[in-house]
Amino acid sequence: MAFLPTGEQRAFVRSLDAMLGASDTPAAVRAWAGGDPGPGLAVWGRLAEAGVWALAVPEAYEGVGPLPVELAGAFVELGRHAVPGPVAETVAAAVLLGELARRCAPDPAKRLLPALASGGRTATLALADAGTGRVPRALDADRADLVLVVRGEELWRAPGHGPVRVSADPARRLARPAPGGELLAAGPAVTAAAHRARRWAALATAAQSLGVGLSLLDRTVEYALGRTQFGTSIGTFQAVKHRLADTLLALEFARPLLFGAAVGLAAAEREDGWWGAEEGAAGPGPAAGAGLTVDGELAAAKVAAGEAGYAAARTALQIHGAIGYTEELDLSLWLRKARPLRDAWGDPASCRAAVLDAYRGAGS
């Protein structure tokens, strides 16, 4: 099958790259980490004008979705430009509310989705552990306008949050949602909707990881070409060239897995009748032909992109040397994102286990 983005999709991604490149996102990241969300929310508003948040919202609620392929392309750019905030979580919350509206509970979607699509409201989401019932910390629960929590078969709008903790990335603030609040929906449909939300969160986070890795590689190549030792550019040293080539290969191998998973997700949702997914979308990705499920494809994309992004961070730090982790160098903003994104919404171990389970299920 031909697996190439359309001209419209490429133009959309280029427009986001140009817009974010002119938005001084490093300053927005530093402000977000320092307690000032204003510059980051300004970037958020520009992304809303470009239609990014509407990609996961159905047309009935002022969105244009679901469009997972376009969303994957957009989130690569969000990672490439280090956009701060609960970006994947807002998408997951939109998917959750949209799926509940389709199944049984349209009222929360009517109240909350239009503002998410327009960028007027940010959201974060925490899914309680199915075994223990423990609610994890939610990203930017102190900044998000809407904090959603799924506990078993219940969806709650949390009234607040606990103490805030900073992750390895200072711009990723974590807090456990407070118990109680408003019960938005209950029943088996909540569990099904949470599963779909987790899929989209994994896709968005994998795309961010790829974008972070690509940006780190670009910056490192530029540095290696300009840095000299013994009168010559270090980029000409064989060891440096091999390390950069290995990093590029890992990122480029992750890219088709990411977009293959997005295509597979679009096909699965069209078959399921989810919001009347877009007509004319491409069929399942290459992995689907080998019997891998949509969840398996997403897990493979998540682990590949996450590990590639983290490897790019290690390469960038090694080649830059000690200057790489200084606060003054913008590179540090991307370095600190790579590992948290790798582990968010499915760490490498759980993703590898999911891929293995998917193959075992296909063979049984």
Side-chain angles (χ1 to χ4, degrees):
M1 60 173 285
F3 183 55
L4 292 171
T6 65
E8 188 176 83
Q9 289 168 339
R10 289 194 294 269
F12 177 55
V13 168
R14 285 195 300 269
S15 70
L16 290 179
D17 182 32
M19 183 267 288
L20 291 171
S23 296
D24 194 11
T25 52
V29 175
R30 288 191 169 94
W32 193 280
D36 177 14
L41 292 177
V43 175
W44 194 284
R46 296 186 192 105
L47 290 168
E49 292 173 1
V52 171
W53 312 121
L55 294 171
V57 177
E59 293 182 7
Y61 302 100
E62 302 181 21
V64 297
L67 295 171
V69 177
E70 285 77 2
L71 183 129
F75 269 67
V76 170
E77 296 309 311
L78 267 61
R80 191 192 296 272
H81 293 277
V83 173
V87 291
E89 289 71 19
T90 294
V91 164
V95 169
L96 177 69
L97 293 170
E99 176 66 5
L100 282 174
R102 186 177 76 92
R103 288 176 176 267
C104 65
D107 289 344
K110 290 177 182 178
R111 284 194 289 133
L112 302 172
L113 274 181
L116 293 182
S118 68
R121 176 175 286 158
T122 61
T124 192
L125 174 66
L127 306 181
D129 183 88
T132 65
R134 183 175 176 81
V135 177
R137 291 181 176 85
L139 179 64
D140 290 315
D142 61 324
R143 302 269 174 80
D145 302 301
L146 176 65
V147 181
L148 299 180
V149 181
V150 173
R151 298 187 183 93
E153 294 187 346
E154 296 178 341
L155 172 63
W156 292 84
R157 181 176 184 176
H161 59 85
V164 175
R165 295 181 59 180
V166 177
S167 77
D169 175 9
R172 291 177 64 86
R173 301 161 59 87
L174 303 170
R176 206 176 304 278
E182 178 188 1
L183 180 64
L184 297 178
V190 172
T191 302
H195 179 69
R196 292 197 181 279
R198 188 184 295 276
R199 283 178 167 179
W200 280 70
L203 178 69
T205 307
Q208 283 181 275
S209 291
L210 180 60
V212 165
L214 291 169
S215 182
L216 285 166
L217 179 60
D218 289 344
R219 291 166 181 271
T220 305
V221 169
E222 182 181 4
Y223 177 81
L225 292 174
R227 175 79 162 88
T228 59
Q229 285 184 354
F230 312 111
T232 186
S233 166
I234 66 171
T236 64
F237 298 165
Q238 189 176 53
V240 172
K241 289 193 289 186
H242 284 187
R243 186 68 184 262
L244 292 172
D246 288 343
T247 302
L248 175 62
L249 283 174
L251 291 167
E252 290 304 321
F253 272 111
R255 191 193 299 270
L257 288 175
L258 172 69
F259 285 100
V263 169
L265 180 58
E269 291 176 354
R270 184 172 63 253
E271 292 170 3
D272 193 40
W274 195 34
W275 307 340
E278 69 273 20
E279 295 182 2
L292 200 60
T293 64
V294 173
D295 290 326
E297 288 181 333
L298 287 166
K302 180 68 174 60
V303 68
E307 293 282 41
Y310 184 51
R314 293 171 65 88
T315 296
L317 184 56
Q318 181 178 20
I319 293 177
H320 278 80
I323 194 175
Y325 57 79
T326 58
E327 291 283 352
E328 293 79 11
L329 195 68
D330 285 348
L331 183 82
S332 65
L333 304 178
W334 280 265
L335 285 175
R336 292 174 172 180
K337 289 186 178 300
R339 185 162 183 170
L341 285 173
R342 184 196 69 171
D343 295 341
W345 296 103
D347 61 25
S350 64
C351 287
R352 289 189 175 97
V355 173
L356 184 59
D357 288 343
Y359 274 117
R360 285 172 174 167
S364 62

